[in-house]
Every structure is written in C-alpha cells, then in structure tokens.
C-alpha cells in the first residue's frame, strides 16, 4: 500500500536535466531558466519547447506557446514527473498517418475497405508470442522483491528515527567554533621577532587601555589552551588502547632483541671461519689460472708473429709453383690476422701495405698470363680440334683471378675473341678476293677494311667458307667460358667459412657477364658478315636471278641457326640486312616489271596474241596439280598456241595478260625463295593487278587506246578480249592466295585480294554492259526509222539481223557460248523494250489488223535469226516476245 501511494504521487525532476546530466539544480527556478535558455527556440513572441526525446516536447498539442505561458507549461509538464507515466515515442502511436487524416475515430486502417467501414470489417490476426523468448512471470521477481522490501523498510525506519546528540559532538562543535591560529603550531616561535610578537599579542602595543587588552588576551589564550588540551585528551583517548598494548609488550620486545643480538654474533663468527677456510684459497687458484692463460696467449702470439714473418717467402714459393689461389689466400688470411690479432704491433706496421702491393702485382701477372693463353688458344690452327690443350694452367690462372674478385679479364676475353673472329673473317675475304680478275687494289687494313664488299656469288662462297671456321672459334670460346663458370662454382675460389665468402649476386654476375659477352660476340660476328655480304652499291653486286637470293637466304639461315645453337643467343642482324637488300632488289625488279607492263599496256592493240608454249606448259602444270607448284619449269620446243588452255577451256587473251601472268608467277616463286619479303611481294602483286585493271579500263572503256596505240575505234571484239583477259586474272587470283596462305599464313595480311577481286568482277561486268549498250544503241537507231509496212522482212529488220550476226562473229572466237548467250539475252530484253515503245508511238495494237500481222512476221524473222545464231535453242522454251511487246 505504501508503494502504491508513492507511485501515485508526482516526483520532482528539476534536480537533473535529461539532456545535461552533469548539471545539478538547487531550485526549480534555475531549472525553468535552464529550459528556456538551452532547450527552446524563440521566434518573436512564440517559444517552442524542445525538452524531450529527440528534441521534441511530448506535451505540446499544437507545437508552440506564447512567451507569457511558457513558465506555466514548464511547471505543469517538466518540473514534476507523474508516477507510472512513460515518455512518448513514435512507437506509442496506435494509428498511421492516413487513418488520422481520414477519420481518427475509426482506428487503424489496413486497406481500402476499412477506410469506410472500419477495422471490424476485416479479420484481425492474432500475433503469437515468440518461441525464442522465455515466459517471465511474477515468480521470477519474488526473491528480489522480498530482499528489497526488507531493505526499504529498514531505510524508512532509520530515516524516521531522531538523531542522537552526544557530548562528543558538542565538544567538536565548540572545538570548531574556536580555532587556534597556525602560528601557535610553529616549531620555532620566536617572540623577539616584532612581527611574530604582534601576531601573538595583537593590539597590545597600540591599545590605550592595556589592562583590558591584557585581560582579553588572557581569556583568548586560556580558550586556546582549553582547545589544545581537549585535542590532546581526544588524541590520547583514541590511542589509549595502542599505548597500553605497547607498555605491556615492552619486556617481550626486549627479550627478542637480546636473542637477535646473540644470533648475529654467532653468524659473524661462522662467516669469518668460512672466509678463512673456503674462500681465500679458491680465489688464489683462479688468479693463478688466469696468469697461466695469459702466458699461453703470449706464447701463441709469439708463434703467430714468427709465422707471419715467413709470409713473404712462402708467397714467392707458391707463385713459383703457379698456385695463385693459395698465395692469395695466404695474403688475405695474413692481412686479416694483422687487422685482428696482431693489430697495434709496430714491427708489422709496413707489412699490410706490402701485401696489398703484392696482391696488385699478382693481379697484373694473372691478367698477362690469361691474355697470353687466350691469344694462343684462339689463334691455333683451325684443324686442331682439341678442347683445351693446357687446361691445368688456365684453371690455375682463372682461379686466381676469380679469387681476387676482379672481372676485368672478361673484357680482355671479349676483345681477343673479337680480334680472332675478325681475323678469321678477313682471312676468308682475302682468299676470295685473291681469286678475282683485275688489278684493282683493295685495302684490308685500317678504317677502309670495313668498306670492302663482296659480290653476290662471292658472298655465297664466303658464307660457305667462313661458317665452319667461325663455328670452331665459337666452340673454343664456349669451352673456355664453360670452364670459367665451372671454376666460379669451386669452394676454394668462392671462399670458405674462415675467409670472405662470395655472395649469390657475385656468383650470378659471373654467369650474367659471360652470357652477355657471348651474345655480344654473336652479334658482332653477324654484323661483320652482314657488312661484307649484303651492302651493295654498284650493278656488279646485283643478283642475276632469284636462285642466288634463295641460296644466300639458305646460307644465312643456316649460319644464324648454327650460331644460335652454339651460343644460345639469337642474332637477327644478318637476316635483317638480307631482308633490306632483298627488299631493294625486289623494289628494283618491281620497278622494272611495272615499267615493262605499263609500256606493254600503252602499246597494246587489244587483239588476240599467240600463247607461247613456255607459258602454256606452266599453266598446264597448275591445272594438273590444282595449285601453283613449288618449282616452275618453263618447257620449250613446241609451237605457240592460239588460245591459252585452262582446264580444257580456251581463253583468247592479249599479250599484256601473258606478261602479267609471267610476272605474278615470278613473284610467287620469289615468295618461296625469300620468305622475308613476302608481304612486300604481296603488295607488288596487288599493285600490278590494280595497274592492269585501271589501265585496261582507261584504255578500253575510256577509249584511251585510240591515242596511245593508234586504234581507229574500240570495237566489241576489243571489249570481249579485255573481259576474257580479266577472267584469266580472276582464275589465277585464288591460286595465288592459296599459295600465300599455305606458305606464310601467320605473318601475312591478305585483305587486299578480296577488294581487287571485286574490282575485276565489276570491271568485267562493266565491259559486258558496254557491249550490250553498243548493240542496243544500234538496234534502237534502226527501230527509229522502221515502219510496219510490207515487204516483210523489212530492210530495218534485215539490218538488225546483220548487226546481230556481226556481233556474234566478233564474240564467238573470244567469249564462251554461255557468256555470249547472256550478252544476247540482255540485248534481246533491251530490244523488246525499244520495240514496245515504237509500237506505242505507231499506235499499233494486237487487234488482228494488217499492221499486227506485219509486226508478227518481222518478229518471226528476228527470232529465226537468234535461233540461227544458237542464242535460242530448239529445246529452249519459246520466247514470249510475240506477247511481251503488247504488254505495258
């Protein structure tokens, strides 16, 4: 009952602020002022209260208050908290916003129907308790409530009981009333000091009534004395138990101290006995042992000094036996001893510089010995195929150099190897040039030796001679390089635990330097040979045919592959130089062929030319194999043919096409002879085909041949020959493309063949259209003067028949019958269109009139002519011209 009454009452909350828990307020007025200053917004005469969770006052109904009523709002809602009430949050809301806006009295609405009929219209869903939360009841808090209720009852009893006033508290209060000044607590209270005297006896010297002042001072000092006595008695009363306890235990403490003194005396006697019997003798033994060790160290040092004195004679003895590694090890170990164990000994102050100088002399001696051995080994006769004649000596020399960690000997090795390679190449050049005819002097020394060139056949001979010699030189270089690498892996060269060890970087640097040296020697060899072979300026140095280029390419490939196989380094210097020269050769050849083709085109009279048997034999081989053979053999001994036979079909061609075929086949052969210039050859072939196509179009379709070749006119036979020639080129293009794809499919770009093929097809179609236009124009001119009158056939249709016969005579020996039939059918369709237009002009219709009969007779004669020319066969379906001309 008491708890319920307490909870129903309002409790003050102005002592603490919800937002500022560190502040404490002593009155409600301070709390009101704090809310007005810190937790409200002033907008003119309106004050918005923000005291609440999230800065929102839950007691405001409309969100603002006037300034005059703000304090009443604070007193009503914030000074006291009502019991059992909870702070409002947005979770306390029982209605959503649409329900409040529509009708707050209807409760929470879930869909459209409940907006009108209320939430009872739909079934409510019961939310079951969570299975994961335990069921907490009042029994769980019974023990807690019992314990807290007992404490609370006791608290209330103590709170209601009156305080007990004791005499001690009264005394303490009196004591606190009268405080003794601090000056009386000072350890040195010097009253002869005027300042201290004036503080102890204030107003005594300045007062007129001394008796009253003395009396008052005496009362004050008596009071001070009473206070001091009270404090002393209080202190004694507090410590009385400890004082009496100390007095009772005084005798016991004295007895314990006497026993302790006796124990200390006995301990000191025992320590003295131990020191005399057990400590002094072992300490003397340790001192004697240390003296003995020092004397032994001095003896060892003297022996080491004697050994170091014999270093220089020993080094000379080792050098005389070519044991350079042992001599260098002795120098390094002696210098190490001088720096460590014998440092500071004046007798050896000059020995270390002497050993350094001796080390330098050994290095110079080893370099000279290595140079002498390299020169002797590399300049041996080439017939001497032994690996290393004096292997032990070079092992000793290289071991000594590597022990010094001096790698400049590799530069000497490289220079002498280059000199040996140069001498081998020069010897081969001298042998080749000595066989030349003539008295021209050639200098092979100094700077002019690099300007010596060999002719093409001499370059081939040079490569055949110099390749085995250079292979032998490189084998000797590699043998010595491998030996150097093997020596660099030996323990006595790289050092041991007692000496300076080589690092892994230093060991790897030897291998890297040798690898780079061999690679540079391979590049140098290729460069020197390339300068001799493929640097050409005069006409005497040009290839006579492509077989020499193929032979030189084969030798250069073999030389480069052999160098790569031996040295493990690929050098493309010779291949690049050969490619450059081959490009120049092909450019010169292409310029000559292009000029030849251009001159032939300009002089071409566009008539059938006899086909040489050499060309026909090559075409026959191509047709037989279905591809361009690897080797082209031009046979002779038979008469020339009238037609070019391709797959048992006759092709009437002009001389220019024969030349173009020969050039293209020559370029195809060049791609097999020198694969490095294939892309450029493809460009050259496409350029020649485009040149032929464009010039044919200009000379024939554009009538340029009338001026260039002196033709009177461009006839249909000329056009037919151009069309047939283009067909030959179109037949050859896929074969060329197939050859290039099989030989060089990876590195080639063959996109130009598709475009040039389309150009040739379009040109061929334009020529056929041109023939059709020429014939159709002649037929149209005849029809313009035609009149549907007897006799039948009229002169107009007789002339049309003559034109058709002449066209057939011009085409029959050039084009195949199917192509001729295609051209005649186009002409026939154009003729029907023109005839239909003429009949419309003449107002003739199919009505059975005499004019209708004349037209039918004329067309019957026309159709008979086409059948005679075998344009329309007897087995073909009958042409509908007798019906088509009357249709719009």
């Amino acid at each position: 009952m008491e708890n319920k009454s307490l909870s129903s009452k309002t409790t003050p909350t102005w002592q603490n602020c919800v937002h500022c828990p560190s502040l404490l307020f002593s009155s409600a007025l301070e709390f009101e002022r704090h809310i007005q200053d810190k937790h409200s917004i002033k907008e003119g005469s309106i004050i918005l209260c923000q005291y609440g969770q999230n800065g929102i006052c839950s007691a405001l109904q409309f969100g603002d208050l006037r300034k005059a009523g703000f304090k009443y709002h604070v007193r009503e809602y914030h000074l006291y908290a009502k019991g059992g009430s909870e702070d409002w949050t947005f979770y306390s809301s029982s209605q959503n916003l649409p329900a409040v806006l529509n009708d707050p009295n209807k409760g929470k609405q879930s869909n459209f129907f409940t907006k009108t009929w209320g939430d009872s219209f739909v079934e409510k869903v019961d939310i079951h308790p969570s299975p994961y939360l335990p069921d907490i009841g009042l029994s769980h808090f019974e023990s807690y409530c019992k314990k807290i209720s007992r404490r609370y009852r006791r608290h209330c009893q103590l709170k209601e009981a009156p305080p007990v006033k004791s005499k001690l508290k009264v005394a303490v209060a009196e004591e606190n009333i009268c405080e003794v000044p601090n000056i009386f607590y000072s350890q040195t209270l010097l009253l002869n000091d005027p300042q201290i005297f004036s503080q102890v006896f204030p107003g005594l010297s300045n007062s007129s009534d001394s008796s009253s002042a003395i009396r008052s001072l005496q009362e004050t000092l008596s009071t001070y004395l009473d206070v001091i006595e009270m404090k002393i008695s209080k202190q004694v009363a507090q410590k009385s138990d400890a004082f009496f306890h100390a007095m009772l235990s005084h005798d016991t403490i004295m007895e314990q101290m006497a026993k302790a003194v006796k124990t200390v005396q006995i301990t000191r006697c025992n320590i003295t006995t131990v020191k005399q019997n057990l400590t002094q003798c072992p300490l003397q033994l340790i001192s004697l042992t240390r003296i003995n060790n020092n004397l032994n160290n001095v003896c060892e040092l003297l022996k080491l000094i004697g050994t170091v004195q014999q270093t220089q004679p020993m080094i000379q003895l080792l050098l005389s036996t070519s044991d350079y590694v042992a001599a260098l090890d002795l120098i390094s170990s002696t210098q190490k001893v001088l720096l460590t164990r014998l440092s500071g000994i004046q007798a050896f102050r000059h020995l270390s510089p002497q050993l350094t100088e001796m080390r330098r002399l050994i290095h110079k001696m080893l370099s000279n010995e290595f140079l002498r051995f390299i020169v002797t080994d590399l300049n041996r006769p080439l017939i001497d195929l032994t690996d290393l004649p004096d292997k032990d000596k070079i092992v000793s020399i290289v071991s000594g150099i590597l022990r010094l960690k001096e790698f400049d000997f590799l530069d000497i090795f490289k220079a002498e190897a280059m000199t040996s390679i140069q001498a081998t190449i020069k010897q081969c050049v001298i042998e080749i040039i000595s066989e030349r005819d003539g008295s021209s002097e050639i200098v092979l020394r100094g700077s002019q030796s690099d300007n010596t060139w060999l002719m093409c056949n001499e370059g081939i001979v040079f490569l055949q001679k110099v390749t085995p010699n250079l292979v032998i030189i490189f084998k000797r270089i590699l043998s010595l390089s491998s030996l150097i690498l093997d020596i660099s892996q030996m323990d006595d060269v790289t050092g041991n635990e007692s000496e300076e060890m080589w690092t892994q970087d230093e060991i790897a640097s030897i291998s890297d330097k040798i690898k780079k040296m061999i690679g540079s020697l391979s590049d140098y060899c290729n460069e020197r040979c390339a300068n001799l072979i493929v640097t050409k300026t005069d006409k005497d140095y040009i290839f006579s045919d492509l077989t020499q280029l193929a032979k030189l390419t084969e030798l250069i490939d073999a030389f480069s592959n052999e160098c790569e196989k031996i040295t493990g380094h690929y050098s493309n210097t010779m291949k690049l130089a050969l490619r450059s020269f081959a490009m120049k050769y092909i450019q010169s050849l292409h310029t000559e062929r292009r000029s030849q083709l251009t001159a032939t085109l300009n002089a071409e009279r566009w008539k059938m030319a006899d086909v040489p048997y050499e060309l026909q034999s090559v075409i026959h081989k191509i047709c037989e194999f279905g591809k361009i053979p690897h080797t082209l053999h031009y046979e002779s001994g038979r008469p020339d043919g009238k037609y070019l036979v391709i797959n048992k079909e006759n092709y009437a061609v002009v001389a220019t096409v024969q030349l173009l075929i020969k050039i293209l086949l020559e370029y195809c052969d060049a791609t097999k002879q020198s694969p490095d210039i294939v892309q450029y050859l493809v460009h050259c072939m496409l350029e020649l085909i485009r040149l032929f196509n464009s010039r044919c179009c200009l000379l024939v379709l554009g009538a340029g041949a009338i001026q260039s070749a002196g033709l009177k006119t461009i006839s249909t036979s000329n056009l037919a020959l151009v069309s047939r020639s283009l067909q030959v080129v179109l037949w050859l293009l896929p074969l060329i493309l197939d050859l290039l794809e099989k030989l060089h499919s990876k590195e080639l770009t063959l996109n130009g063949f598709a475009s040039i093929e389309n150009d040739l097809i379009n040109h061929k179609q334009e020529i056929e259209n041109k023939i059709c236009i020429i014939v159709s124009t002649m037929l149209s001119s005849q029809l313009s003067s035609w009149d549907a009158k007897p006799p039948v056939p009229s002169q107009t249709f007789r002339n049309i028949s003559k034109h058709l016969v002449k066209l057939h005579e011009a085409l029959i020996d050039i084009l195949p019958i199917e192509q001729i039939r295609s051209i005649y059918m186009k002409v026939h369709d154009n003729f029907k269109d023109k005839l239909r237009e003429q009949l419309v002009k003449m107002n003739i219709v199919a009505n059975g009139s005499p004019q209708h009969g004349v037209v039918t007779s004329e067309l019957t004669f026309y159709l008979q002519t086409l059948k005679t020319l075998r344009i329309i066969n007897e087995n073909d379906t009958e042409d509908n011209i007798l019906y088509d001309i009357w249709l719009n």
Side-chain angles (χ1 to χ4, degrees):
M1 294 296 292
E2 184 180 358
N3 292 338
K4 292 182 180 178
S5 63
L6 289 173
S7 62
S8 62
K9 296 179 181 180
T10 57
T11 57
T13 58
W14 51 263
Q15 289 92 342
N16 299 95
C17 177
V18 176
H19 300 288
C20 307
S22 61
L23 298 179
L24 298 176
F25 303 97
S26 59
S27 63
L29 185 62
E30 293 180 2
F31 181 74
E32 293 177 6
R33 192 179 299 111
H34 172 72
I35 292 179
Q36 184 175 357
D37 295 337
K38 301 296 182 181
H39 303 294
S40 63
I41 299 177
K42 303 177 180 64
E43 296 181 359
S45 61
I46 297 175
I47 300 178
L48 299 177
C49 181
Q50 293 182 334
Y51 186 78
Q53 291 187 359
N54 301 319
I56 299 175
C57 179
S58 61
L60 291 179
Q61 295 181 357
F62 300 99
D64 58 46
L65 288 172
R66 296 295 177 182
K67 187 174 183 181
F70 182 80
K71 61 181 180 178
Y72 297 102
H73 166 77
V74 174
R75 291 176 183 177
E76 183 178 2
Y77 295 101
H78 300 309
L79 285 182
Y80 298 94
K82 296 181 180 181
S85 64
E86 296 179 355
D87 293 333
W88 186 91
T89 63
F90 67 92
Y91 295 108
S92 303
S93 177
S94 61
Q95 292 178 333
N96 55 10
L97 184 60
V100 174
L101 295 177
N102 292 331
D103 189 358
N105 297 324
K106 290 185 178 181
K108 188 173 182 180
Q109 302 167 5
S110 59
N111 51 36
F112 172 75
F113 300 102
T114 58
K115 290 182 180 179
T116 305
W117 295 307
D119 55 354
S120 61
F121 181 77
V122 295
E123 296 180 358
K124 295 183 179 180
V125 179
D126 295 334
I127 301 176
H128 298 284
S130 174
Y132 303 102
L133 298 177
D135 188 10
I136 305 298
L138 184 61
S139 60
H140 293 81
F141 301 97
E142 289 181 354
S143 60
Y144 175 77
C145 292
K146 291 179 181 180
K147 181 175 65 175
I148 295 301
S149 62
R150 290 195 299 269
R151 293 182 181 179
Y152 181 73
R153 284 194 298 271
R154 184 180 178 185
H155 170 70
C156 293
Q157 293 174 1
L158 293 175
K159 185 177 181 181
E160 292 176 358
V164 179
K165 298 181 180 180
S166 60
K167 297 180 180 180
L168 181 61
K169 292 183 178 180
V170 174
V172 170
E174 292 179 356
E175 181 182 344
N176 292 334
I177 293 173
C178 182
E179 290 291 339
V180 179
N182 293 330
I183 192 171
F184 292 101
Y185 294 104
S186 177
Q187 295 181 359
T188 57
L189 186 62
L190 301 177
L191 295 178
N192 56 359
D193 189 355
Q195 294 182 357
I196 295 176
F197 184 83
S198 62
Q199 291 180 6
V200 173
F201 304 105
L204 184 62
S205 59
N206 298 329
S207 177
S208 58
D209 191 0
S210 61
S211 59
S212 61
I214 291 171
R215 191 180 301 111
S216 176
L217 180 61
Q218 185 177 3
E219 292 178 355
T220 302
L221 292 175
S222 298
T223 303
Y224 289 163
L225 180 61
D226 294 337
V227 171
I228 294 299
E229 289 178 352
M230 187 179 297
K231 288 184 177 181
I232 292 172
S233 62
K234 180 180 178 181
Q235 186 70 20
V236 170
Q238 291 178 354
K239 303 294 183 180
S240 60
D241 295 339
F243 175 76
F244 289 112
H245 179 72
M247 292 300 295
L248 293 174
S249 60
H250 179 268
D251 295 336
T252 303
I253 293 172
M254 294 301 293
E255 291 178 1
Q256 292 178 357
M257 290 182 65
K259 291 180 181 180
V261 169
K262 187 175 181 180
T263 303
V264 170
Q265 292 176 354
I266 295 172
T267 303
R268 286 182 176 178
C269 293
N270 293 335
I271 291 173
T272 303
T273 304
V274 169
K275 179 180 178 182
Q276 293 176 356
N277 297 331
L278 300 178
T279 306
Q280 291 181 350
C281 293
L283 288 177
Q284 292 178 358
L285 181 62
I286 293 173
S287 177
L288 294 174
T289 303
R290 186 179 301 164
I291 293 171
N292 187 22
N293 291 334
N294 291 336
L295 293 176
N296 290 332
N297 292 334
V298 171
C299 182
E300 293 293 333
L301 189 62
L302 291 174
K303 291 180 181 180
L304 183 61
I305 291 173
T307 304
V308 170
Q309 286 180 344
Q310 301 297 323
T311 299
Q312 291 180 340
M314 189 64 185
I315 292 173
Q316 294 177 0
L317 179 61
L318 292 174
L319 292 178
S320 63
T321 58
S322 299
D323 195 353
Y324 301 105
V325 176
L328 293 172
D329 290 341
L330 181 58
I331 291 175
S332 60
S333 59
T334 303
Q335 287 182 332
K336 185 176 181 180
V337 169
L338 290 174
L339 292 175
T340 56
R341 301 181 63 182
L342 298 181
S343 61
I345 296 178
Q346 295 297 319
F348 294 142
R349 63 183 181 275
H350 301 298
L351 183 58
S352 182
Q354 292 175 358
L355 294 176
T356 303
E357 185 65 25
M358 190 171 293
R359 184 188 182 95
R360 191 179 298 111
L361 291 175
I362 293 174
H363 177 219
K364 187 175 181 180
M365 182 190 307
L366 289 174
S367 299
N368 294 331
E369 290 290 333
F370 181 77
L371 176 61
R372 190 178 301 109
F373 181 85
I374 289 296
V375 172
T376 305
D377 182 65
L378 294 180
N379 294 327
R380 285 182 293 153
L382 297 176
I383 58 175
D384 186 4
L385 300 179
T386 55
D387 191 9
L388 286 173
D390 197 357
K391 187 175 182 179
D392 296 336
K393 183 177 180 180
I394 190 62
V395 168
S396 176
I397 294 173
V398 174
S399 299
I401 295 176
L402 293 177
R403 192 68 184 84
L404 288 169
K405 291 187 180 181
E406 299 289 344
F407 303 144
D408 54 351
F409 75 100
L410 295 177
D411 298 332
I412 300 173
F413 188 12
K414 180 180 178 181
E416 290 302 323
M418 285 185 176
T419 304
S420 179
I421 292 171
Q422 184 178 2
T424 303
I425 294 173
K426 187 177 292 185
Q427 181 63 32
C428 293
V429 173
I430 292 173
E431 293 177 1
I432 293 173
I433 294 178
S434 62
E435 299 176 359
R436 283 185 185 176
D437 296 333
S439 59
S440 59
E441 182 179 357
I442 298 174
V443 179
L444 295 176
R445 291 182 299 174
S447 60
Q448 295 183 4
S449 61
D450 293 334
N451 297 327
T452 303
W453 299 323
L454 300 175
M455 291 185 290
C456 297
N457 56 345
E458 293 177 346
I460 295 173
V461 176
F462 169 76
L463 278 180
Q464 292 174 346
K465 285 187 176 183
V466 80
T467 300
N469 297 340
L470 290 177
V471 167
I472 294 173
I473 296 296
F474 271 110
K475 286 182 178 180
R476 294 175 180 177
I477 294 172
L478 285 177
S479 297
L480 188 54
S481 301
S482 301
L483 180 63
I484 293 173
L485 286 176
D486 295 338
I487 295 173
S488 65
Q489 304 295 329
M490 298 170 60
D491 293 336
D492 56 348
V493 174
T494 58
N496 49 41
E497 296 180 356
S498 61
E499 300 167 356
E500 184 180 0
M501 296 286 292
W502 278 32
T503 62
Q504 292 296 329
D505 295 337
E506 291 175 337
I507 296 174
S509 66
I510 289 290
S511 177
D512 188 47
K513 288 178 180 293
I514 292 176
K515 185 176 180 180
K516 289 181 179 179
M517 179 192 70
I518 293 174
S520 62
L521 290 176
S522 179
D523 292 336
Y524 174 76
C525 179
N526 279 267
E527 183 179 354
R528 290 285 298 174
C529 293
N531 292 336
L532 288 169
I533 295 174
V534 296
T535 306
K536 316 298 179 193
T537 55
D538 300 330
K539 293 182 179 180
D540 294 336
Y541 300 100
I542 299 299
F543 289 126
S544 59
D545 54 13
L546 286 173
T547 57
Q548 290 186 341
L549 178 60
K551 183 65 176 176
L552 187 60
T553 303
E554 181 182 356
L555 290 174
I556 287 178
D557 289 340
F559 179 81
S560 300
N561 294 333
E562 191 69 24
C563 288
E564 183 180 4
K565 180 180 178 181
I566 295 175
T567 62
H569 174 75
Y570 175 74
S571 179
N572 59 350
T573 306
M574 289 189 68
K575 289 187 176 182
L576 291 177
L578 176 64
R579 182 176 181 180
S580 175
F581 174 66
M583 290 285 288
K584 292 179 181 178
Y585 171 71
I586 295 300
Q587 286 176 0
S588 176
L589 179 65
H590 178 62
T591 303
E592 181 182 351
R593 296 295 184 264
R594 183 174 53 192
S595 301
Q596 185 179 358
L597 182 63
T598 303
T600 306
L601 281 169
N602 293 332
E604 181 65 59
R605 298 189 62 84
W606 303 104
K607 294 182 179 181
M608 290 178 57
D610 293 337
V611 180
Y613 180 72
E614 290 83 1
L615 178 60
Q616 182 61 60
S617 62
V618 174
I619 298 298
H620 178 69
K621 290 292 184 182
I622 294 175
C623 295
E624 181 181 356
F625 293 106
K627 61 180 180 180
I628 300 176
H630 188 71
T631 55
L632 298 176
H633 297 288
Y634 291 90
E635 300 178 1
S636 60
R638 295 187 182 183
D640 298 341
K642 184 178 181 181
Y643 295 99
L644 182 64
V645 181
I646 300 175
N647 293 327
K648 298 181 180 180
E649 184 179 352
N650 295 333
Y651 285 81
V653 294
V654 295
T656 307
V657 175
Q658 300 177 17
L659 177 61
L660 178 63
I661 293 173
K662 291 180 181 179
I663 296 174
L664 293 178
L665 292 177
E666 184 181 7
Y667 284 0
C668 290
D669 189 42
T671 59
K672 294 176 287 186
Q673 302 294 340
S674 180
D676 296 330
I677 55 174
V678 177
Q679 189 64 60
Y680 182 70
L681 285 172
V682 170
H683 172 72
C684 294
M685 286 190 283
L686 293 175
E687 182 181 0
L688 290 179
I689 296 173
R690 287 194 182 94
L691 175 63
F692 173 77
N693 188 35
S694 61
R695 292 292 295 169
C696 287
C697 183
L698 179 64
L699 293 174
V700 179
L701 288 179
I706 295 177
Q707 294 181 356
S708 63
L711 297 181
K712 295 181 180 180
T713 182
I714 302 299
S715 63
T716 55
S717 61
N718 299 135
L719 294 172
L721 277 172
V722 175
S723 176
R724 198 60 169 164
S725 301
L726 293 176
Q727 292 179 21
V728 175
V729 179
L730 286 172
W731 167 80
L732 187 60
L733 273 182
L735 299 175
I736 297 175
L737 183 61
D738 183 63
L739 174 67
L740 295 174
E741 287 179 347
K742 289 181 179 180
L743 293 179
H744 319 282
S745 59
K746 295 182 180 179
E747 63 272 9
L748 277 184
T749 303
L750 303 174
N751 297 330
F753 280 91
S755 62
I756 194 65
E757 186 176 3
N758 292 331
D759 294 342
L760 292 173
I761 293 173
N762 294 334
H763 187 193
K764 174 177 169 293
Q765 189 64 39
E766 289 178 4
I767 291 174
E768 293 181 0
N769 295 336
K770 183 69 174 179
I771 295 174
C772 295
I773 291 172
I774 293 173
V775 178
S776 298
T777 302
M778 290 190 297
L779 298 183
S780 298
S781 63
Q782 292 294 330
L783 284 175
S784 62
S785 60
W786 173 67
D787 193 5
K789 293 179 180 180
V792 177
S794 63
Q795 187 62 37
T796 298
F797 272 83
R798 290 179 184 274
N799 293 335
I800 290 173
S801 179
K802 290 180 181 179
H803 287 309
L804 293 176
V805 172
K806 288 182 180 180
L807 176 62
H808 189 270
E809 292 175 353
L811 299 180
I812 192 62
D813 293 333
I814 301 175
L815 298 179
I817 187 63
E818 294 298 332
Q819 189 174 359
I820 294 174
R821 186 175 296 174
S822 175
I823 294 173
Y824 267 85
M825 293 309 295
K826 292 180 181 179
V827 173
H828 179 59
D829 292 337
N830 292 333
F831 175 74
K832 287 193 295 184
D833 295 337
K834 296 296 182 181
L835 181 60
R836 188 183 298 110
E837 293 175 1
Q838 187 66 22
L839 291 175
V840 171
K841 289 181 182 180
M842 298 172 65
N843 197 17
I844 298 176
V845 294
N847 54 3
S849 62
Q851 288 183 330
H852 179 215
V854 170
V855 172
T856 302
S857 300
E858 295 280 17
L859 290 179
T860 302
F861 173 75
Y862 169 77
L863 291 175
Q864 188 62 35
T865 303
L866 293 180
K867 291 180 180 180
T868 304
L869 298 175
R870 291 183 295 179
I871 303 303
I872 300 177
N873 297 327
E874 296 293 339
N875 297 328
D876 293 343
T877 57
E878 186 177 359
D879 190 86
N880 293 325
I881 186 173
L882 298 177
Y883 305 98
D884 291 345
I885 60 174
W886 309 110
L887 300 176
N888 293 328

